Amino acid sequence: MKQVILAVVLAFTLQANAQDEIKKELEPICATFDSTYTLEGWKAKSDQLALVKGKYPENWMPAYYYAYSCIQMSYFEPTLAIKDALVDNAEEQMAKIETCPLTDEVHIMKALIANARIGADPENRWQKYGKIFDENLKSAKAINENNPHIYLLKGISTFYTPKMFGGGAKNAKTYFEKAKVKYDLVTSTDVDKPYWWGRSTCIYFFGEIEKELNK
């Protein structure tokens, strides 16, 4: 019995040490997510994250952040085929991301992927992927209504939706205000609790909303 207990303790210790090592490698890469605004910047981060992901292929964290970087790159790429290839890369990580203990963030990533599909070809994809986007945000909210990403993503989607379909700056503002309230509740910037990303995006859209409303 003593040997079994020691084996279990050792296994937990090794797992904890591995988690710490992964976090140490990810932290300097992820620290500047919210100040990266170019395709080149995201490409550099994606390359770094791919290396970490290769070292720890069974862990959800490198897969999550690598998927996020691919989605961000897709927004900057002008070519549809490349956009889709990048989102494909993100979607291929879902098997690992689904092992994340924060199940609300699993749904957030699915919503991000759906939103990137729409962004690549809005006219032809909004009907199919808009439903997937909304369903995953609804699922995330049912798990954790304090997740700021729910309101941030809904705000961005609403901002770019035509006014005749319930979108526009005025309707989006409510979601960004709610996102700000939820971001103010986030006290951790640890990579294993990824609620922190997007805060600067929220601030950016407040400025864009003011421009639109003051036209």
Side-chain angles (χ1 to χ4, degrees):
M1 177 62 74
K2 186 182 287 186
Q3 286 180 327
V4 172
I5 293 171
L6 287 172
V8 171
V9 170
L10 180 61
F12 275 114
T13 302
L14 290 172
Q15 186 178 28
N17 288 342
Q19 285 287 103
D20 287 343
E21 284 302 312
I22 296 167
K23 287 172 68 174
K24 283 178 184 176
E25 292 197 43
L26 287 174
E27 280 166 2
I29 305 170
C30 298
T32 53
F33 264 22
D34 273 5
S35 58
T36 303
Y37 308 115
T38 65
L39 175 59
E40 293 74 18
W42 282 113
K43 178 67 168 61
K45 288 194 176 298
S46 183
D47 289 344
Q48 290 175 297
L49 290 163
L51 292 174
V52 182
K53 185 171 69 72
K55 287 176 68 176
Y56 308 100
E58 299 305 315
N59 191 277
W60 69 269
M61 285 187 286
Y64 175 95
Y65 289 109
Y66 174 73
Y68 182 81
S69 71
C70 289
I71 289 166
Q72 295 304 312
M73 279 195 292
S74 78
Y75 293 134
F76 290 95
E77 279 287 356
T79 307
L80 177 59
I82 299 176
K83 284 177 178 288
D84 277 339
L86 288 165
V87 184
D88 287 344
N89 286 346
E91 197 156 26
E92 286 168 5
Q93 310 311 310
M94 282 309 308
K96 294 294 179 294
I97 294 169
E98 284 176 345
T99 66
C100 172
L102 306 172
T103 50
D104 52 324
E105 277 300 304
V106 174
H107 288 290
I108 290 298
M109 186 56 67
K110 290 179 180 178
L112 273 169
I113 290 168
N115 192 55
R117 295 289 188 199
I118 298 169
D121 188 4
E123 187 176 344
N124 295 309
R125 297 181 178 178
W126 69 269
Q127 237 174 344
K128 175 183 177 180
Y129 290 103
K131 183 179 179 182
I132 296 171
F133 175 80
D134 286 333
E135 285 174 349
N136 277 288
L137 290 188
K138 184 178 179 181
S139 295
K141 189 175 182 181
I143 297 164
N144 177 16
E145 66 175 12
N146 287 324
N147 187 324
H149 299 150
I150 299 165
Y151 313 98
L152 176 71
L153 297 185
K154 188 63 177 177
I156 295 170
S157 174
T158 303
F159 184 85
Y160 289 114
T161 298
K163 290 180 183 178
M164 68 180 74
F165 297 120
K170 185 177 179 181
N171 290 330
K173 187 175 183 180
T174 302
Y175 292 109
F176 288 113
E177 287 172 341
K178 191 71 173 283
K180 184 183 181 303
V181 170
K182 301 304 182 182
Y183 274 118
D184 288 344
L185 300 175
V186 176
T187 57
S188 172
T189 57
D190 290 348
V191 291
D192 60 347
K193 299 179 184 68
Y195 300 117
W196 46 266
W197 62 255
R199 191 187 296 266
S200 69
T201 303
C202 186
I203 295 167
Y204 167 80
F205 271 98
F206 276 119
E208 293 301 294
I209 286 167
E210 288 305 309
K211 290 178 191 176
E212 287 295 316
L213 296 180
N214 291 327
K215 279 184 178 178

Short mmCIF file of all heavy atoms in Angstrom, two decimals, residues 86-140:
data_model
loop_
_atom_site.label_atom_id
_atom_site.label_comp_id
_atom_site.label_asym_id
_atom_site.label_seq_id
_atom_site.Cartn_x
_atom_site.Cartn_y
_atom_site.Cartn_z
N LEU A 86 -5.55 28.61 -41.80
CA LEU A 86 -5.20 29.03 -40.44
C LEU A 86 -6.29 28.62 -39.44
O LEU A 86 -5.98 28.13 -38.35
CB LEU A 86 -4.98 30.54 -40.39
CG LEU A 86 -3.69 31.03 -41.05
CD1 LEU A 86 -3.72 32.53 -41.27
CD2 LEU A 86 -2.47 30.64 -40.21
N VAL A 87 -7.55 28.81 -39.83
CA VAL A 87 -8.64 28.42 -38.94
C VAL A 87 -8.70 26.89 -38.82
O VAL A 87 -9.02 26.35 -37.75
CB VAL A 87 -9.98 29.01 -39.42
CG1 VAL A 87 -11.10 28.67 -38.42
CG2 VAL A 87 -9.89 30.52 -39.56
N ASP A 88 -8.37 26.19 -39.90
CA ASP A 88 -8.26 24.73 -39.84
C ASP A 88 -7.23 24.32 -38.78
O ASP A 88 -7.45 23.38 -38.00
CB ASP A 88 -7.85 24.15 -41.19
CG ASP A 88 -8.96 24.20 -42.23
OD1 ASP A 88 -10.14 24.39 -41.84
OD2 ASP A 88 -8.64 24.05 -43.43
N ASN A 89 -6.09 25.02 -38.78
CA ASN A 89 -5.04 24.74 -37.78
C ASN A 89 -5.58 24.91 -36.37
O ASN A 89 -5.27 24.10 -35.48
CB ASN A 89 -3.84 25.68 -37.98
CG ASN A 89 -3.02 25.32 -39.20
OD1 ASN A 89 -3.15 24.24 -39.75
ND2 ASN A 89 -2.16 26.24 -39.62
N ALA A 90 -6.35 25.97 -36.18
CA ALA A 90 -6.94 26.22 -34.86
C ALA A 90 -7.92 25.11 -34.49
O ALA A 90 -7.89 24.58 -33.37
CB ALA A 90 -7.64 27.57 -34.85
N GLU A 91 -8.76 24.74 -35.43
CA GLU A 91 -9.78 23.73 -35.16
C GLU A 91 -9.17 22.36 -34.86
O GLU A 91 -9.71 21.59 -34.06
CB GLU A 91 -10.74 23.64 -36.34
CG GLU A 91 -12.05 22.95 -36.01
CD GLU A 91 -13.16 23.34 -36.95
OE1 GLU A 91 -12.88 23.75 -38.10
OE2 GLU A 91 -14.33 23.24 -36.53
N GLU A 92 -8.04 22.08 -35.45
CA GLU A 92 -7.36 20.81 -35.22
C GLU A 92 -6.86 20.66 -33.78
O GLU A 92 -6.57 19.55 -33.32
CB GLU A 92 -6.19 20.66 -36.18
CG GLU A 92 -6.61 20.35 -37.61
CD GLU A 92 -5.47 20.49 -38.60
OE1 GLU A 92 -4.32 20.73 -38.16
OE2 GLU A 92 -5.72 20.39 -39.82
N GLN A 93 -6.79 21.77 -33.06
CA GLN A 93 -6.33 21.75 -31.67
C GLN A 93 -7.44 21.42 -30.68
O GLN A 93 -7.17 21.22 -29.48
CB GLN A 93 -5.69 23.10 -31.29
CG GLN A 93 -4.65 23.64 -32.24
CD GLN A 93 -3.60 22.63 -32.60
OE1 GLN A 93 -3.01 21.99 -31.73
NE2 GLN A 93 -3.35 22.48 -33.90
N MET A 94 -8.69 21.37 -31.15
CA MET A 94 -9.81 21.26 -30.22
C MET A 94 -9.78 19.99 -29.37
O MET A 94 -10.20 20.00 -28.21
CB MET A 94 -11.14 21.35 -30.96
CG MET A 94 -11.55 22.76 -31.36
SD MET A 94 -11.52 24.01 -30.01
CE MET A 94 -12.49 23.22 -28.74
N ALA A 95 -9.29 18.89 -29.92
CA ALA A 95 -9.23 17.65 -29.13
C ALA A 95 -8.42 17.86 -27.85
O ALA A 95 -8.79 17.36 -26.78
CB ALA A 95 -8.64 16.52 -29.96
N LYS A 96 -7.32 18.60 -27.96
CA LYS A 96 -6.51 18.90 -26.78
C LYS A 96 -7.15 19.99 -25.92
O LYS A 96 -7.15 19.92 -24.70
CB LYS A 96 -5.11 19.34 -27.20
CG LYS A 96 -4.30 18.25 -27.88
CD LYS A 96 -3.98 17.13 -26.90
CE LYS A 96 -3.18 16.02 -27.58
NZ LYS A 96 -3.94 15.31 -28.61
N ILE A 97 -7.69 21.02 -26.57
CA ILE A 97 -8.30 22.13 -25.83
C ILE A 97 -9.47 21.65 -24.99
O ILE A 97 -9.73 22.18 -23.90
CB ILE A 97 -8.73 23.24 -26.82
CG1 ILE A 97 -7.49 23.86 -27.48
CG2 ILE A 97 -9.52 24.34 -26.10
CD1 ILE A 97 -7.80 24.78 -28.65
N GLU A 98 -10.17 20.64 -25.46
CA GLU A 98 -11.33 20.13 -24.72
C GLU A 98 -10.94 19.46 -23.41
O GLU A 98 -11.81 19.17 -22.59
CB GLU A 98 -12.13 19.18 -25.60
CG GLU A 98 -12.98 19.94 -26.63
CD GLU A 98 -13.72 19.03 -27.58
OE1 GLU A 98 -13.38 17.83 -27.64
OE2 GLU A 98 -14.64 19.53 -28.25
N THR A 99 -9.65 19.24 -23.18
CA THR A 99 -9.21 18.72 -21.88
C THR A 99 -8.99 19.85 -20.87
O THR A 99 -8.67 19.58 -19.71
CB THR A 99 -7.90 17.91 -22.01
OG1 THR A 99 -6.83 18.78 -22.40
CG2 THR A 99 -8.05 16.79 -23.04
N CYS A 100 -9.18 21.09 -21.29
CA CYS A 100 -9.06 22.24 -20.39
C CYS A 100 -10.11 22.13 -19.28
O CYS A 100 -11.29 21.92 -19.57
CB CYS A 100 -9.25 23.54 -21.18
SG CYS A 100 -9.36 25.02 -20.15
N PRO A 101 -9.72 22.29 -18.03
CA PRO A 101 -10.69 22.20 -16.93
C PRO A 101 -11.68 23.37 -16.91
O PRO A 101 -12.74 23.27 -16.29
CB PRO A 101 -9.82 22.20 -15.68
CG PRO A 101 -8.54 22.84 -16.10
CD PRO A 101 -8.34 22.48 -17.53
N LEU A 102 -11.33 24.47 -17.58
CA LEU A 102 -12.23 25.62 -17.67
C LEU A 102 -13.12 25.43 -18.90
O LEU A 102 -12.83 25.91 -19.98
CB LEU A 102 -11.42 26.91 -17.78
CG LEU A 102 -10.38 27.13 -16.68
CD1 LEU A 102 -9.51 28.32 -16.99
CD2 LEU A 102 -11.05 27.28 -15.32
N THR A 103 -14.22 24.72 -18.72
CA THR A 103 -15.03 24.32 -19.87
C THR A 103 -15.71 25.50 -20.56
O THR A 103 -16.05 25.42 -21.74
CB THR A 103 -16.09 23.28 -19.46
OG1 THR A 103 -16.81 23.76 -18.31
CG2 THR A 103 -15.43 21.96 -19.11
N ASP A 104 -15.88 26.61 -19.84
CA ASP A 104 -16.41 27.80 -20.50
C ASP A 104 -15.45 28.29 -21.58
O ASP A 104 -15.88 28.72 -22.66
CB ASP A 104 -16.71 28.92 -19.49
CG ASP A 104 -15.54 29.25 -18.58
OD1 ASP A 104 -14.80 28.32 -18.20
OD2 ASP A 104 -15.37 30.43 -18.23
N GLU A 105 -14.14 28.16 -21.33
CA GLU A 105 -13.15 28.59 -22.33
C GLU A 105 -13.07 27.64 -23.52
O GLU A 105 -12.68 28.04 -24.61
CB GLU A 105 -11.77 28.75 -21.69
CG GLU A 105 -11.56 30.08 -20.99
CD GLU A 105 -11.69 31.26 -21.94
OE1 GLU A 105 -10.97 31.31 -22.95
OE2 GLU A 105 -12.52 32.15 -21.65
N VAL A 106 -13.45 26.39 -23.32
CA VAL A 106 -13.55 25.47 -24.46
C VAL A 106 -14.62 25.99 -25.43
O VAL A 106 -14.40 26.04 -26.65
CB VAL A 106 -13.91 24.04 -23.99
CG1 VAL A 106 -14.15 23.13 -25.19
CG2 VAL A 106 -12.80 23.47 -23.10
N HIS A 107 -15.75 26.44 -24.88
CA HIS A 107 -16.81 26.99 -25.72
C HIS A 107 -16.40 28.33 -26.33
O HIS A 107 -16.78 28.64 -27.47
CB HIS A 107 -18.10 27.15 -24.91
CG HIS A 107 -18.76 25.85 -24.60
ND1 HIS A 107 -19.37 25.09 -25.58
CD2 HIS A 107 -18.90 25.17 -23.44
CE1 HIS A 107 -19.87 23.99 -25.02
NE2 HIS A 107 -19.59 24.01 -23.74
N ILE A 108 -15.63 29.11 -25.60
CA ILE A 108 -15.13 30.38 -26.14
C ILE A 108 -14.26 30.12 -27.36
O ILE A 108 -14.36 30.82 -28.38
CB ILE A 108 -14.33 31.16 -25.06
CG1 ILE A 108 -15.26 31.69 -23.97
CG2 ILE A 108 -13.54 32.32 -25.70
CD1 ILE A 108 -16.32 32.69 -24.45
N MET A 109 -13.39 29.11 -27.29
CA MET A 109 -12.54 28.81 -28.44
C MET A 109 -13.37 28.34 -29.63
O MET A 109 -13.09 28.71 -30.78
CB MET A 109 -11.49 27.75 -28.06
CG MET A 109 -10.48 27.48 -29.16
SD MET A 109 -9.59 28.97 -29.74
CE MET A 109 -8.64 29.37 -28.27
N LYS A 110 -14.40 27.55 -29.37
CA LYS A 110 -15.29 27.12 -30.46
C LYS A 110 -15.99 28.32 -31.08
O LYS A 110 -16.18 28.39 -32.31
CB LYS A 110 -16.31 26.11 -29.95
CG LYS A 110 -15.71 24.76 -29.59
CD LYS A 110 -16.77 23.80 -29.06
CE LYS A 110 -16.16 22.44 -28.71
NZ LYS A 110 -17.18 21.51 -28.16
N ALA A 111 -16.39 29.28 -30.24
CA ALA A 111 -17.02 30.50 -30.75
C ALA A 111 -16.04 31.33 -31.56
O ALA A 111 -16.40 31.89 -32.61
CB ALA A 111 -17.58 31.33 -29.58
N LEU A 112 -14.79 31.40 -31.10
CA LEU A 112 -13.75 32.12 -31.84
C LEU A 112 -13.53 31.52 -33.22
O LEU A 112 -13.40 32.24 -34.22
CB LEU A 112 -12.45 32.09 -31.06
CG LEU A 112 -12.20 33.18 -30.01
CD1 LEU A 112 -10.99 32.82 -29.17
CD2 LEU A 112 -12.01 34.54 -30.67
N ILE A 113 -13.49 30.20 -33.27
CA ILE A 113 -13.29 29.51 -34.55
C ILE A 113 -14.46 29.79 -35.49
O ILE A 113 -14.25 30.10 -36.67
CB ILE A 113 -13.10 28.00 -34.32
CG1 ILE A 113 -11.74 27.74 -33.65
CG2 ILE A 113 -13.21 27.22 -35.63
CD1 ILE A 113 -11.56 26.33 -33.12
N ALA A 114 -15.68 29.71 -34.97
CA ALA A 114 -16.86 30.01 -35.79
C ALA A 114 -16.83 31.45 -36.29
O ALA A 114 -17.14 31.73 -37.45
CB ALA A 114 -18.13 29.75 -34.98
N ASN A 115 -16.42 32.37 -35.42
CA ASN A 115 -16.35 33.77 -35.80
C ASN A 115 -15.30 34.02 -36.88
O ASN A 115 -15.50 34.83 -37.79
CB ASN A 115 -16.04 34.63 -34.57
CG ASN A 115 -16.25 36.11 -34.83
OD1 ASN A 115 -17.32 36.53 -35.25
ND2 ASN A 115 -15.22 36.90 -34.59
N ALA A 116 -14.18 33.29 -36.80
CA ALA A 116 -13.14 33.42 -37.81
C ALA A 116 -13.62 32.86 -39.15
O ALA A 116 -13.25 33.38 -40.22
CB ALA A 116 -11.88 32.70 -37.36
N ARG A 117 -14.43 31.82 -39.12
CA ARG A 117 -15.02 31.30 -40.36
C ARG A 117 -15.92 32.36 -41.01
O ARG A 117 -15.88 32.57 -42.23
CB ARG A 117 -15.85 30.04 -40.06
CG ARG A 117 -15.07 28.85 -39.56
CD ARG A 117 -14.21 28.23 -40.63
NE ARG A 117 -13.62 26.97 -40.16
CZ ARG A 117 -12.57 26.41 -40.70
NH1 ARG A 117 -11.95 26.97 -41.73
NH2 ARG A 117 -12.09 25.26 -40.23
N ILE A 118 -16.70 33.02 -40.19
CA ILE A 118 -17.57 34.09 -40.70
C ILE A 118 -16.72 35.22 -41.26
O ILE A 118 -16.98 35.73 -42.35
CB ILE A 118 -18.50 34.63 -39.60
CG1 ILE A 118 -19.44 33.53 -39.09
CG2 ILE A 118 -19.31 35.82 -40.12
CD1 ILE A 118 -20.21 33.90 -37.84
N GLY A 119 -15.70 35.61 -40.51
CA GLY A 119 -14.85 36.72 -40.93
C GLY A 119 -14.16 36.47 -42.25
O GLY A 119 -13.90 37.42 -43.01
N ALA A 120 -13.88 35.22 -42.56
CA ALA A 120 -13.22 34.89 -43.83
C ALA A 120 -14.14 35.08 -45.02
O ALA A 120 -13.69 35.47 -46.11
CB ALA A 120 -12.70 33.45 -43.78
N ASP A 121 -15.44 34.82 -44.83
CA ASP A 121 -16.40 34.91 -45.94
C ASP A 121 -17.79 35.20 -45.37
O ASP A 121 -18.66 34.31 -45.36
CB ASP A 121 -16.40 33.59 -46.72
CG ASP A 121 -17.22 33.65 -48.00
OD1 ASP A 121 -17.74 34.73 -48.33
OD2 ASP A 121 -17.36 32.61 -48.67
N PRO A 122 -18.01 36.42 -44.89
CA PRO A 122 -19.25 36.74 -44.16
C PRO A 122 -20.53 36.47 -44.94
O PRO A 122 -21.49 35.90 -44.40
CB PRO A 122 -19.11 38.25 -43.87
CG PRO A 122 -17.67 38.54 -44.03
CD PRO A 122 -17.12 37.58 -45.01
N GLU A 123 -20.55 36.86 -46.18
CA GLU A 123 -21.78 36.76 -46.97
C GLU A 123 -22.28 35.33 -47.09
O GLU A 123 -23.49 35.07 -47.06
CB GLU A 123 -21.55 37.35 -48.37
CG GLU A 123 -22.81 37.45 -49.20
CD GLU A 123 -22.56 38.13 -50.54
OE1 GLU A 123 -21.51 38.78 -50.70
OE2 GLU A 123 -23.43 38.01 -51.42
N ASN A 124 -21.36 34.40 -47.24
CA ASN A 124 -21.75 33.01 -47.46
C ASN A 124 -21.75 32.13 -46.22
O ASN A 124 -22.21 30.98 -46.28
CB ASN A 124 -20.81 32.38 -48.50
CG ASN A 124 -20.94 33.03 -49.87
OD1 ASN A 124 -22.04 33.16 -50.39
ND2 ASN A 124 -19.82 33.47 -50.42
N ARG A 125 -21.26 32.68 -45.09
CA ARG A 125 -21.10 31.82 -43.93
C ARG A 125 -21.84 32.26 -42.67
O ARG A 125 -21.89 31.49 -41.70
CB ARG A 125 -19.60 31.68 -43.61
CG ARG A 125 -18.82 31.01 -44.70
CD ARG A 125 -17.36 30.89 -44.33
NE ARG A 125 -16.59 30.20 -45.36
CZ ARG A 125 -15.29 30.00 -45.30
NH1 ARG A 125 -14.60 30.42 -44.26
NH2 ARG A 125 -14.67 29.36 -46.29
N TRP A 126 -22.38 33.46 -42.67
CA TRP A 126 -22.94 33.97 -41.42
C TRP A 126 -24.08 33.11 -40.89
O TRP A 126 -24.24 32.93 -39.68
CB TRP A 126 -23.40 35.42 -41.57
CG TRP A 126 -24.61 35.61 -42.46
CD1 TRP A 126 -24.61 35.83 -43.80
CD2 TRP A 126 -25.97 35.56 -42.06
NE1 TRP A 126 -25.89 35.93 -44.27
CE2 TRP A 126 -26.77 35.76 -43.22
CE3 TRP A 126 -26.63 35.36 -40.84
CZ2 TRP A 126 -28.16 35.79 -43.20
CZ3 TRP A 126 -28.02 35.38 -40.82
CH2 TRP A 126 -28.77 35.59 -41.98
N GLN A 127 -24.87 32.52 -41.79
CA GLN A 127 -26.01 31.75 -41.35
C GLN A 127 -25.58 30.48 -40.62
O GLN A 127 -26.06 30.18 -39.52
CB GLN A 127 -26.90 31.38 -42.54
CG GLN A 127 -28.32 31.87 -42.34
CD GLN A 127 -29.19 31.63 -43.57
OE1 GLN A 127 -28.71 31.38 -44.67
NE2 GLN A 127 -30.48 31.74 -43.38
N LYS A 128 -24.67 29.74 -41.21
CA LYS A 128 -24.21 28.48 -40.61
C LYS A 128 -23.39 28.73 -39.34
O LYS A 128 -23.69 28.16 -38.27
CB LYS A 128 -23.37 27.69 -41.62
CG LYS A 128 -22.76 26.42 -41.04
CD LYS A 128 -21.89 25.70 -42.06
CE LYS A 128 -21.23 24.46 -41.42
NZ LYS A 128 -20.37 23.74 -42.40
N TYR A 129 -22.38 29.56 -39.46
CA TYR A 129 -21.46 29.72 -38.35
C TYR A 129 -21.95 30.71 -37.30
O TYR A 129 -21.52 30.66 -36.14
CB TYR A 129 -20.07 30.11 -38.86
CG TYR A 129 -19.40 28.98 -39.60
CD1 TYR A 129 -19.35 28.95 -40.99
CD2 TYR A 129 -18.85 27.91 -38.90
CE1 TYR A 129 -18.75 27.90 -41.67
CE2 TYR A 129 -18.25 26.85 -39.56
CZ TYR A 129 -18.20 26.85 -40.95
OH TYR A 129 -17.62 25.78 -41.60
N GLY A 130 -22.88 31.59 -37.68
CA GLY A 130 -23.47 32.49 -36.70
C GLY A 130 -24.21 31.72 -35.62
O GLY A 130 -24.16 32.05 -34.43
N LYS A 131 -24.89 30.67 -36.03
CA LYS A 131 -25.62 29.82 -35.08
C LYS A 131 -24.64 29.11 -34.15
O LYS A 131 -24.87 29.04 -32.93
CB LYS A 131 -26.46 28.80 -35.84
CG LYS A 131 -27.32 27.93 -34.95
CD LYS A 131 -28.15 26.95 -35.78
CE LYS A 131 -29.00 26.06 -34.87
NZ LYS A 131 -29.77 25.07 -35.65
N ILE A 132 -23.55 28.58 -34.69
CA ILE A 132 -22.54 27.89 -33.88
C ILE A 132 -21.91 28.87 -32.89
O ILE A 132 -21.69 28.55 -31.71
CB ILE A 132 -21.46 27.26 -34.78
CG1 ILE A 132 -22.08 26.17 -35.65
CG2 ILE A 132 -20.30 26.70 -33.95
CD1 ILE A 132 -21.16 25.64 -36.74
N PHE A 133 -21.62 30.08 -33.37
CA PHE A 133 -21.06 31.14 -32.53
C PHE A 133 -21.97 31.43 -31.35
O PHE A 133 -21.54 31.40 -30.19
CB PHE A 133 -20.86 32.40 -33.39
CG PHE A 133 -20.39 33.61 -32.66
CD1 PHE A 133 -19.06 33.77 -32.33
CD2 PHE A 133 -21.29 34.62 -32.31
CE1 PHE A 133 -18.62 34.91 -31.67
CE2 PHE A 133 -20.87 35.75 -31.65
CZ PHE A 133 -19.52 35.91 -31.33
N ASP A 134 -23.24 31.69 -31.62
CA ASP A 134 -24.18 32.04 -30.56
C ASP A 134 -24.41 30.90 -29.58
O ASP A 134 -24.50 31.11 -28.36
CB ASP A 134 -25.52 32.48 -31.16
CG ASP A 134 -25.46 33.86 -31.79
OD1 ASP A 134 -24.63 34.68 -31.35
OD2 ASP A 134 -26.25 34.13 -32.72
N GLU A 135 -24.49 29.68 -30.09
CA GLU A 135 -24.71 28.52 -29.22
C GLU A 135 -23.56 28.32 -28.24
O GLU A 135 -23.78 27.99 -27.07
CB GLU A 135 -24.90 27.26 -30.07
CG GLU A 135 -26.26 27.18 -30.75
CD GLU A 135 -26.37 25.99 -31.69
OE1 GLU A 135 -25.32 25.35 -31.97
OE2 GLU A 135 -27.49 25.70 -32.14
N ASN A 136 -22.34 28.54 -28.71
CA ASN A 136 -21.19 28.35 -27.83
C ASN A 136 -21.06 29.47 -26.81
O ASN A 136 -20.65 29.22 -25.66
CB ASN A 136 -19.91 28.19 -28.65
CG ASN A 136 -19.73 26.77 -29.13
OD1 ASN A 136 -19.42 25.88 -28.34
ND2 ASN A 136 -19.96 26.54 -30.40
N LEU A 137 -21.40 30.69 -27.17
CA LEU A 137 -21.41 31.77 -26.19
C LEU A 137 -22.48 31.51 -25.12
O LEU A 137 -22.26 31.76 -23.93
CB LEU A 137 -21.65 33.12 -26.85
CG LEU A 137 -20.53 33.67 -27.72
CD1 LEU A 137 -20.85 35.10 -28.16
CD2 LEU A 137 -19.18 33.63 -27.01
N LYS A 138 -23.62 31.00 -25.55
CA LYS A 138 -24.69 30.67 -24.61
C LYS A 138 -24.23 29.57 -23.65
O LYS A 138 -24.49 29.64 -22.43
CB LYS A 138 -25.93 30.21 -25.37
CG LYS A 138 -27.14 29.94 -24.49
CD LYS A 138 -28.35 29.55 -25.34
CE LYS A 138 -29.56 29.23 -24.46
NZ LYS A 138 -30.75 28.83 -25.27
N SER A 139 -23.54 28.56 -24.18
CA SER A 139 -23.03 27.47 -23.33
C SER A 139 -21.98 27.98 -22.35
O SER A 139 -21.97 27.58 -21.17
CB SER A 139 -22.44 26.37 -24.20
OG SER A 139 -23.43 25.76 -25.01
N ALA A 140 -21.09 28.86 -22.82
CA ALA A 140 -20.07 29.43 -21.94
C ALA A 140 -20.71 30.23 -20.81
O ALA A 140 -20.29 30.14 -19.64
CB ALA A 140 -19.12 30.32 -22.74
#
